[in-house]
Amino acid sequence: MTDHTVDLDKHRGMAAQKATDLRRALAEVENNMRELREREADLENRLLTVAAASWPEAAAKARYLLNLYAASLSSEDTRHRALVAALFDDFARLSGEE
């Protein structure tokens, strides 16, 4: 036995190395997506169960929902996209975020 580790990637052909890299990247992306879905579910549960204590908190909930809605709009739906953007501008102006 030796104390040195063997890097098996060096002994693979280029195609096998690329396939291994692709599998690793895909696994990482899938893990990140799963973690994101879990965090989104946690956030949405909190938004459902905790009542807003102020208008800014209610606006934050509305921003989240509007972002979900805007993400579902087609790129051709410029009218609704403009309405969402105008509402975000109103939120910023009324909350003093400008």
Side-chain angles (χ1 to χ4, degrees):
M1 281 236 158
T2 114
D3 291 332
H4 302 287
T5 59
V6 176
D7 185 4
L8 295 177
D9 285 343
K10 290 182 181 177
H11 297 286
R12 292 190 178 120
M14 185 58 76
Q17 285 180 19
K18 287 183 179 181
T20 299
D21 291 342
L22 183 61
R23 281 192 306 275
R24 288 176 182 160
L26 181 59
E28 183 180 349
V29 167
E30 288 171 348
N31 285 334
N32 289 341
M33 288 174 59
R34 180 184 43 78
E35 289 173 6
L36 177 61
R37 283 191 301 271
E38 289 171 359
R39 289 195 321 263
E40 284 176 336
D42 181 51
L43 172 64
E44 289 170 1
N45 286 333
R46 289 181 189 185
L47 292 174
L48 281 170
T49 58
V50 178
S54 64
W55 280 107
E57 288 181 14
K61 285 183 175 186
R63 279 188 185 105
Y64 178 77
L65 189 58
L66 284 168
N67 277 320
L68 289 177
Y69 172 68
S72 71
L73 293 174
S74 69
S75 59
E76 293 86 30
D77 196 350
T78 56
R79 181 182 173 104
H80 284 165
R81 288 186 179 282
L83 284 168
V84 170
L87 188 54
F88 283 148
D89 290 343
D90 288 343
F91 283 164
R93 181 177 44 81
L94 292 172
S95 65
E97 294 175 4
E98 288 186 308

